[in-house]
Amino acid sequence: MAPVTSLSHSVEQHLASALSATLPEAAGADPLLRRSDRADFQANGILALAKKAKANPRELATQVVSRVVTGGVLGDIEVSGPGFLNVTVTDRAITENLAARYADTDRLGVPHADAPGTTVIDYAQPNVAKEMHVGHLRSAVIGDAVVQLLEFTGQTVVRRHHIGDWGTQFGMLIQYLDEHPHELDHKESEVSGEEAMSNLDRLYKAARKLFDADEEFKTRARRRVVDLQAGDPHTLAMWQKFVDESKIYFFSVFEKLDMEIRDADIVGESGYNDMLAETCRLLEESGVAVRSEGALCVFFDDVKGPDGNPVPLIVQKSDGGYGYAATDLSAIRDRVHNLKANTLLYVVDARQSLHFKMVFETARRAGWLDGDVKTHQLAFGTVLGKDGKPFKTREGETVKLVDLLDEAVERATAVVREKAEKVGLSEQEIVENGRYVGIGAVKYADLSTSAVRDYKFDLDQMVSLNGDTSVYLQYAYARVQSILRKSGEARPVAHPELELAPAERALGLHLDQFGETVLEVAASYEPHKLAAYLYQLASHLTAFYDQCPVLKADTPEQVENRLFLVDLTARTLHRGMALLGIRTPEKL
């Protein structure tokens, strides 16, 4: 179906036409329309235009109003204060616009972005043979939401999970496995993610103990690093066992997070090994990088250390080894030249901002990023405990992500169970909804905060039915489903001829903003703005319930129209929450 033009955009077009008719030199000017407490919308643009034209703003506003055609979309327009325009749209326009959105079951009238392209998004980057902890949560959750938003708005999205699967630490692990070859054998039986991580943890501890105690083993382990980097087939086969075991664990954690991670999208550090030497050669030959004390470095005038001396980006170490920069620069070459990316998006901890600033600038100097390719680090802050300090266990250790997710589901299941008898949930539904509510609570707490900010991890608040939580939104959706189940023969039908109550108008106008909100959020990579929109939508729905009976409305037509309003609200909540990666149970 065709996208639906929002009411705000229709109002802008009417005002822009009247403005250009009144003041021809103002053709194309923005009326600066926004929602208002004094009317449905307020336009503030005339003040600046009047100043530029050396005209009286109130007189200019009065002339513009005289040229606005009311009826249809515009119900009333009046001049306020020094030259503001207060605009009210008709009830019919609200209902007809919402009916058009309602008819578009899949997209709710949301248009695609104007200039779709190809975005490569780098997110969810765990490390091989290491437990995922709470620090991995934000990259995964934020990245997944941005993927959903970009794809929904028409972008071609290539997912990349740049896992840590290479480096000197593997020498110790590979050597130990070579000397204890059956440590990762599964005896032809499948293992769970928990068992896989247990196997890796056990092997790591044993290898570390031997490495610290036995000098000869330490020598053999270091030699094995050289074999790995040289591509020795047997050493690579041992290394692959660690990668495969880790993937069993990774996939189990992402399944708990209710996220799709595809094997083909996992291209770790090792995936760029064959490009590293050429990347360094190209940088050195072009003069972008220079040798300094044996290392290949890129220098920047504006990047200096505490001593005031320049801090370089080290692409190749003095011993010939490659740093993270070489891998990241090779990845840029691959993503631009082979994947044909228009945008490179990195969902990475804010503490790596300097590194990526230097990497992006190096790639530009080398000509690998031209003016048509945008780069953006979607930097995120730290997960804090209730005390405002980095989230740790009582023993001071980093919190395991699996433990955190399991506890969230356990708490949420207890909340669901309290209401289960009242809404008629089976044990299976209690368990399933507990999982949806628990994981949704964790995701929403993260996504409702601006990514760059730190946030406090408070499970008690996250699973609360009150306040800005996913449970509040999920409950609003389930409440609508309950009303629809009780509606009998009455069906949701739009009645544009009906006058709307204030709470109906407020709900309808907010529903009409969904499309604009989604496009804005996708363009700016700010999922927290969609979370804020959905929370406001659920709040409007609550006010509507309090003021406007649905099934006991005065007339059959009013019943149908209010069923239509709440059903569209539920559909919008469902679609919006799905874009954040959160499910909406039918009963709660």
Side-chain angles (χ1 to χ4, degrees), residues 295-310:
L296 185 63
C297 304
V298 182
F299 288 92
F300 308 86
D301 292 337
D302 60 340
V303 180
K304 296 181 180 179
D307 57 2
N309 293 322

Side-chain angles (χ1 to χ4, degrees), residues 49 103 219 221 226 273 292 301 341 356 387 396 455 507 543 552 570 573 576:
L49 290 172
T219 300
V226 178
N273 282 345
S292 176
D301 292 337
F356 278 100
D387 58 3
Y455 79 96
L507 178 60
K552 294 182 179 179
L573 283 168

Side-chain angles (χ1 to χ4, degrees), residues 162 165-167 228-231 236 239 267-279 322-323 326-327 330-331 333:
H162 192 87
D165 65 351
W166 203 251
L228 176 66
Q229 293 174 340
L236 284 174
W239 166 82
V267 183
E269 295 168 359
S270 64
Y272 305 99
N273 282 345
D274 293 344
M275 300 177 67
L276 300 180
E278 184 181 28
T279 294
Y322 300 104
T327 304
S330 297
R333 290 176 56 212

